[in-house]
Amino acid sequence: MTSQELASQLEVSGRTIHRDMEALGTAGIPIVAERGTNGGWMLAEGYRTNLTGMKKEEIQSLLLSQPTGIALELGISDNFDAAFQKLIAAFPSMYREEAEKVRQRIHIDGAGWQEASEQVPLLPLIQEAIWLERKLLLSYTRGAELAERLVQPLGLVAKNHAWYLVADTEGGRRTYRISRLHEAAIQGESFDRPERFDLASYWQQSISQFKSELPRYPAKIRMRAADLPRFRKQWYVTVTAVGTVNQDEIKVDVLFNTLESACEILLKFGSTIEALEPLELRQRLLQELQSMMSLYTDKQEERIGKPINGS
């Protein structure tokens, strides 16, 4: 098929076809381009994909892939299951028994215990615009007003049950939380995707920049060494130094976002963690704990003094 025929069928630009063909060739697929009236793109004669060259460990790693809530939201979980069954059917016979053994012994549930709380009805439409490389007209809240912006959608990112759209705009590259969009409409105008754009790299750079621009609230805490990995996973926490107190405890220098976020995070850990400095943080935590004690003490006294069955 010619580049123009492929571009027409896939509703993309000719430039996109040439880029993708070059990528396939780089990946080892024998794509051949023939020039002339009857020319076009074609696979080398007799070419077939070959799974027999895969190692047992490589096949096992593929078997650990499982559709998650993300696949369900994108509407591709059924396609995943069908493709997976075809993959297993294509395995060499000597590996099929091994494949079944792995599936019967290891199951990965990526959905987590909590259901996704955000509603993203616009996700399928945005995904379609990305595949087709079509511009999107977005409607979203900016301050107290409703704003519109024409964007070039580049990719989707899922993080902690939230979906984000990365897009190019007249004002530069932007990230939009999809649950906060009011409307989205695919436009007839296509765009050329930036050749060197890498979604994963862009996202990591954005996260790093976001964290670097946050306000900092330094503190010193004492905690169980076993809790440090969990503590590091808190969103607004940066550990800058760790010192040993004894076999079970450590002292940690940490940067929180604000005094309020420091209190919120430390209270999650209960009595397993102690704020050492600054004094302001210790006093705020003490106030919070005293307020909680007062709340529960008052409620308990009300329950004790209340007549049973109205008598």
Side-chain angles (χ1 to χ4, degrees):
M1 297 182 68
T2 66
S3 297
Q4 190 57 44
E5 289 172 341
L6 285 169
S8 177
Q9 287 195 18
L10 299 175
E11 298 183 332
V12 297
S13 66
R15 178 183 173 187
T16 299
I17 295 298
H18 283 274
R19 181 199 65 199
D20 291 346
M21 291 303 177
E22 290 177 1
L24 287 172
T26 302
I29 306 298
I31 295 287
V32 179
E34 289 192 1
R35 301 184 181 278
T37 305
N38 298 319
W41 296 97
M42 61 190 69
L43 285 169
E45 186 176 354
Y47 171 76
R48 293 186 62 187
T49 57
N50 180 19
L51 290 174
T52 57
M54 293 184 69
K55 299 177 182 178
K56 181 177 70 173
E57 292 77 13
E58 293 171 339
I59 293 177
Q60 288 175 341
S61 67
L62 287 177
L63 292 171
L64 296 180
S65 301
Q66 295 289 337
T68 64
I70 291 176
L72 291 172
E73 290 172 355
L74 289 172
I76 60 174
S77 58
D78 290 343
N79 292 333
F80 181 95
D81 291 335
F84 207 91
Q85 294 302 321
K86 292 176 182 177
L87 178 64
I88 291 179
F91 282 165
S93 58
M94 62 182 294
Y95 287 152
R96 288 178 190 167
E97 182 178 348
E98 182 71 20
E100 183 60 25
K101 185 184 298 183
V102 172
R103 295 207 73 179
Q104 290 298 327
R105 287 163 175 76
I106 302 177
H107 172 71
I108 298 176
D109 182 0
W113 289 107
Q114 297 180 350
E115 295 294 330
S117 58
E118 294 192 344
Q119 300 298 315
V120 284
L122 297 176
L123 182 61
L125 183 145
I126 293 174
Q127 179 192 3
E128 181 180 0
I130 292 172
W131 293 159
L132 298 178
E133 295 185 355
R134 294 284 183 84
K135 292 185 178 181
L136 268 174
L137 183 62
L138 301 180
S139 173
Y140 61 99
T141 301
R142 183 171 59 191
E145 300 179 350
L146 197 62
E148 285 189 346
R149 176 163 288 183
L150 187 65
V151 305
Q152 299 176 3
L154 302 178
L156 294 168
V157 176
K159 181 176 178 60
N160 295 336
H161 296 301
W163 281 95
Y164 298 88
L165 165 66
V166 177
D168 277 342
T169 73
E170 290 184 354
R173 194 155 289 161
R174 298 287 186 270
T175 300
Y176 299 90
R177 192 159 180 160
I178 294 179
S179 63
R180 297 176 181 171
L181 298 177
H182 291 278
E183 294 180 358
I186 298 178
Q187 306 298 291
E189 185 181 359
S190 62
F191 66 93
D192 291 326
R193 184 180 178 84
E195 291 185 359
R196 296 186 178 182
F197 174 70
D198 182 84
L199 182 60
S201 297
Y202 168 79
W203 181 256
Q204 291 303 320
Q205 291 171 4
S206 297
I207 294 296
S208 298
Q209 182 179 352
F210 173 75
K211 288 185 175 181
S212 67
E213 294 174 352
L214 289 173
R216 298 300 188 186
Y217 187 84
K220 294 181 182 293
I221 61 175
R222 177 175 176 148
M223 64 187 301
R224 296 186 310 190
D227 288 334
L228 182 59
R230 177 187 163 209
F231 183 75
R232 287 182 182 272
K233 291 180 181 179
Q234 305 302 308
W235 180 253
Y236 295 112
V237 165
T238 301
V239 174
T240 58
V242 178
T244 301
V245 176
N246 53 49
Q247 185 176 356
D248 299 319
E249 293 185 316
I250 55 176
K251 283 186 178 180
V252 180
D253 290 345
V254 60
L255 293 175
F256 292 105
N257 179 206
T258 62
L259 171 61
E260 289 72 21
S261 67
C263 289
E264 180 179 346
I265 292 169
L266 293 177
L267 287 172
K268 291 180 183 179
F269 289 81
S271 61
T272 65
I273 199 167
E274 178 189 3
L276 302 176
E277 298 177 12
L279 179 60
E280 173 190 42
L281 176 57
R282 291 178 60 88
Q283 291 174 337
R284 179 66 67 87
L285 286 168
L286 182 58
Q287 290 174 3
E288 291 292 332
L289 292 172
Q290 288 174 338
S291 296
M292 292 174 64
M293 288 180 60
S294 176
L295 174 65
Y296 285 101
T297 300
D298 292 345
K299 294 292 183 181
Q300 184 67 12
E301 290 176 353
E302 289 178 8
R303 293 183 61 184
I304 294 175
K306 187 175 180 179
I308 300 176
N309 296 330
S311 59

